[in-house]
Amino acid sequence: LTWSKSQSDFLLFSSSRRSDSVVAWDMRMLSGNASHPIAGVCAYPRDGDTNQRLEFDFDESGENIFVASQDRSVKIYDVK
């Protein structure tokens, strides 16, 4: 599992080995209350079918996320 807190006070981004996306979680929604199921708020696709650790990071402004893929490409997504 790889995770990083964004510049936002409530978003957490995570990924794991063999996952096809980096997922954004709204920490305000992680109550565990059955009436509010826990789910990611956004997913940023990548080719991640590998046991290798594929990184992601943000630019200095925190408005873009750079997502590494197994095919050696880097995808850039707007996270505003």
Side-chain angles (χ1 to χ4, degrees):
L1 178 68
T2 303
W3 67 274
S4 179
K5 186 173 182 294
S6 70
Q7 289 187 352
S8 163
D9 288 335
F10 56 87
L11 286 179
L12 178 80
F13 293 80
S14 68
S15 67
S16 62
R17 289 181 170 99
R18 304 192 74 78
S19 68
D20 288 328
S21 63
V22 174
V23 179
W25 303 90
D26 185 336
M27 298 304 291
R28 300 171 295 182
M29 304 299 274
L30 298 179
S31 66
N33 184 336
S35 65
H36 296 95
I38 297 172
V41 294
C42 191
Y44 302 94
R46 68 175 185 182
D47 177 16
D49 189 21
T50 179
N51 284 324
Q52 294 179 351
R53 182 177 177 175
L54 299 173
E55 299 287 335
F56 63 91
D57 203 356
F58 300 93
D59 68 359
E60 291 179 6
S61 70
E63 295 179 358
N64 296 297
I65 187 170
F66 302 95
V67 179
S69 289
Q70 179 185 7
D71 64 2
R72 297 183 180 184
S73 67
V74 175
K75 295 170 177 30
I76 303 170
Y77 297 102
D78 183 359
V79 295
K80 288 191 265 183

